[in-house]
Amino acid sequence: LRVSLDDEFKVHTWLSSFAVTPSKVHFLYLAQSSPPRQHYVRYDRQTGNRDKDLQPNFGDGRAAIRGLDGFFAVDRKEKETVLYCIGRDPEGHVVCLRSADEGETWNPHAKTRETYQVYSLGGCRTSCLIGTKGGKPYIIGSFTDQRGDNASGEQKSRVFFFRIPLS
């Protein structure tokens, strides 16, 4: 199944991540059209039908994702699956959206205070890889903050590690 849309053949598209939950398959991608379109796309596993495409924005005024990087993390609990989507917003904050209903609704979960020039944002994607500290589960990830101009040799890159509490 093709995830991108027909009118996106002539623009650069980049799939950031995908995740599988009990009844859905979730995709996150950016189409670098004018204006850019950040897509959260969901397919039904049983029918193979596309049943949701949130775009040109994914999120709300409190936390929205727009970028080429990002990842889903899945927390599989006894009776429910909670899906998290981590990315950057247009201002450069690292943000996390949360869905407890397999992507039907999304709510802001976390957002950095500082802004960054985010490059190569990634992290652990399944509950078996979610870190713990003091018995509390966390989503863990990393990114590079790239500032300055690479061509002039004035680029400063700093690597960051982060953790986001699940509850």
Side-chain angles (χ1 to χ4, degrees):
L1 296 171
R2 182 165 43 93
V3 178
S4 58
L5 300 176
D6 289 346
D7 70 345
E8 294 170 340
F9 283 136
K10 294 184 180 183
V11 299
H12 181 76
T13 56
W14 190 267
L15 180 66
S16 302
S17 186
F18 74 94
V20 178
T21 56
S23 64
K24 305 291 181 182
V25 182
H26 313 266
F27 297 92
L28 178 68
Y29 82 93
L30 180 70
Q32 292 182 309
S33 53
S34 184
R37 291 187 285 196
Q38 180 70 57
H39 290 263
Y40 161 72
V41 178
R42 186 181 74 180
Y43 281 84
D44 183 85
R45 286 181 63 183
Q46 198 77 10
T47 65
N49 293 330
R50 181 187 201 112
D51 65 9
K52 188 169 278 295
D53 184 354
L54 300 178
Q55 53 101 3
N57 300 306
F58 176 37
D60 62 17
R62 298 170 292 162
I65 292 174
R66 177 171 298 156
L68 297 174
D69 312 89
F71 67 100
F72 290 107
V74 180
D75 184 24
R76 298 184 199 286
K77 301 180 182 214
E78 277 186 41
K79 295 183 180 182
E80 68 175 346
T81 298
V82 181
L83 183 62
Y84 298 86
C85 188
I86 300 88
R88 67 173 291 275
D89 71 7
E91 291 78 39
H93 299 96
V94 176
V95 298
C96 176
L97 303 177
R98 179 184 188 276
S99 176
D101 55 10
E102 293 204 84
E104 190 61 33
T105 59
W106 290 90
N107 295 298
H109 181 69
K111 181 177 181 178
T112 60
R113 287 184 202 99
E114 294 182 43
T115 61
Y116 303 92
Q117 297 295 318
V118 177
Y119 174 76
S120 194
L121 173 70
C124 298
R125 301 170 190 264
T126 63
S127 59
C128 65
L129 297 175
I130 292 175
T132 62
K133 181 177 180 182
K136 295 183 178 183
Y138 288 87
I139 298 167
I140 57 176
S142 64
F143 66 92
T144 300
D145 180 33
Q146 289 192 327
R147 310 261 175 173
D149 179 29
N150 194 30
S152 69
E154 297 296 318
Q155 187 169 15
K156 307 279 190 248
S157 296
R158 302 177 301 165
V159 176
F160 285 85
F161 171 83
F162 62 86
R163 67 176 189 234
I164 302 169
L166 293 188
S167 51

